[in-house]
Amino acid sequence: EEEKKHLEFLNQLKQYDPKEEQAEKEGLDDRKDPFSSLFPGEDDDQRHGSQSPSVAAQQGGYEIPARLRTLHNLVIQYASQGRYEVAVPLCKQALEDLEKSSGHSHPDVATMLNILALVYRDQNKYKEATDLLNDALDIREQTLGGEHPAVAATLNNLAVLYGKRGKYTEAEPLCKRALEIREKVLGTNHPDVAKQLNNLALLCQNQGKFEEVEQYYQRALHIYQTRLGPDDPNVAKTKNNLVRLGEAVRSAMALEDSTGSGFILMLAYFCSYSRARATHRVVPGGKRRRGDRGA
């Protein structure tokens, strides 16, 4: 009976589907997530409308439940078009129906909270999105356990929101916990682990933790190169992140006056450390490989 009511609700939603886009519905899960932005300046932040939020909201092996997939795709479609006056009510109506049929503490409710949070995030309503994600995190931890991929996904989304609000110290431990879960569930050399490392590097860079940033980027680069190949776009993207890191370090050094000797020494160490990497690149396990200049 519950499934029948839900199917009836989803059929009602079809009235909102633009006719010319019906043929694209089957492929929405392969499009770039309009909400997969990590922090401003990343390539993903500029590409709206090319992949499902299952990448951002459900990373690491967790997928949108089948009974929510149609609604999820519609919400993403309207949000990517800036039609929040349709996307937000759809989410809220579905959330209300789910709570009535399954109770608030149900994993599907957490999924809908997560989706609505990402819509709010796209509208820069970070406070509302943060509250929803914290609620979703509580539900997922209670119902799925603390090491489920869905928990890692929610932790990552919370870290992104805190980062967008400039709360980098609050975001960092959330990102680290998400990384630990993904390493345990997926293995230490999985591409999703590399993506989480990139997120963590960005958070640390905003805190001036340049040595840690370089280490996270180097590890992410190693994963992408060994698992996806040297021609994968993520390899070039991570190399660009390292270049931007070097530019940030040089800018910081230019702004520092002679009284900031301690900071200058730290930056000088980092720069010499990075140059050494060009000839003896450190790979996981502490070993060095001479002549590897691909990093």
Side-chain angles (χ1 to χ4, degrees):
E1 182 65 26
E2 175 185 334
E3 291 294 332
K4 181 180 178 182
K5 289 181 180 179
H6 191 75
L7 287 173
E8 290 174 352
F9 173 68
L10 292 181
N11 286 330
Q12 293 173 7
L13 297 180
K14 291 181 180 179
Q15 64 181 303
Y16 297 106
D17 287 348
K19 296 291 188 298
E20 66 273 13
E21 294 181 11
Q22 282 284 355
E24 299 179 8
K25 289 294 299 304
E26 294 299 323
L28 278 176
D29 280 335
D30 296 324
R31 298 171 61 191
K32 182 71 176 177
D33 174 16
F35 314 113
S36 69
S37 56
L38 306 179
F39 297 96
E42 285 236 331
D43 294 342
D44 288 343
D45 198 45
Q46 309 301 325
R47 300 175 186 170
H48 288 257
S50 55
Q51 185 182 36
S52 163
S54 56
V55 176
Q58 319 295 340
Q59 278 180 0
Y62 181 77
E63 297 180 355
I64 297 288
R67 68 170 179 164
L68 299 182
R69 200 164 295 140
T70 300
L71 174 62
H72 163 269
N73 290 341
L74 281 173
V75 169
I76 296 318
Q77 180 175 307
Y78 294 125
S80 67
Q81 298 169 353
R83 298 177 62 187
Y84 303 111
E85 76 282 359
V86 178
V88 172
L90 286 180
C91 281
K92 289 184 175 180
Q93 181 62 54
L95 183 60
E96 181 180 339
D97 291 349
L98 283 170
E99 289 180 324
K100 286 181 179 178
S101 62
S102 305
H104 182 72
S105 298
H106 190 281
D108 287 354
V109 171
T111 296
M112 188 52 59
L113 288 168
N114 210 41
I115 295 170
L116 180 56
L118 296 184
V119 175
Y120 279 145
R121 188 180 91 181
D122 196 51
Q123 296 177 275
N124 297 325
K125 295 182 178 180
Y126 299 141
K127 175 62 169 61
E128 294 90 335
T130 301
D131 291 342
L132 291 172
L133 285 176
N134 275 313
D135 193 5
L137 180 62
D138 288 341
I139 294 172
R140 285 177 166 176
E141 287 180 322
Q142 292 172 13
T143 59
L144 303 175
E147 295 182 346
H148 193 278
V151 172
T154 309
L155 288 165
N156 179 70
N157 288 336
L158 274 171
V160 170
L161 283 172
Y162 281 126
K164 284 181 174 289
R165 297 170 70 184
K167 298 184 176 183
Y168 305 118
T169 55
E170 291 92 332
E172 185 179 348
L174 297 173
C175 199
K176 284 184 174 179
R177 187 182 163 202
L179 175 63
E180 291 172 358
I181 294 173
R182 286 185 169 140
E183 286 178 326
K184 185 170 184 177
V185 174
L186 303 172
T188 57
N189 290 318
H190 192 280
D192 282 353
V193 170
K195 185 173 182 180
Q196 195 72 56
L197 287 164
N198 271 305
N199 290 16
L200 186 54
L202 284 165
L203 286 171
C204 290
Q205 185 167 334
N206 278 284
Q207 298 176 74
K209 299 179 179 180
F210 296 117
E211 184 178 348
E212 292 180 41
V213 174
E214 201 267 352
Q215 291 173 353
Y216 292 139
Y217 279 145
Q218 288 287 358
R219 186 181 163 202
L221 181 62
H222 176 75
I223 294 172
Y224 285 138
Q225 287 177 323
T226 56
R227 292 295 303 275
L228 304 180
D231 296 327
D232 185 83
N234 287 297
V235 172
K237 181 178 177 180
T238 306
K239 287 182 178 180
N240 287 335
N241 287 342
L242 282 164
V243 170
R244 288 197 294 267
L245 173 62
E247 292 171 351
V249 171
R250 287 191 292 273
S251 297
M253 293 179 70
L255 291 173
E256 189 72 15
D257 59 25
S258 59
T259 61
S261 57
F263 186 61
I264 288 292
L265 287 173
M266 182 275 290
L267 289 176
Y269 166 77
F270 172 79
C271 290
S272 63
Y273 176 74
S274 296
R275 284 194 296 271
R277 282 289 183 107
T279 305
H280 298 83
R281 186 167 69 83
V282 177
V283 297
K287 297 180 180 179
R288 294 174 180 265
R289 295 201 306 211
R290 185 174 182 81
D292 186 349
R293 297 180 181 271

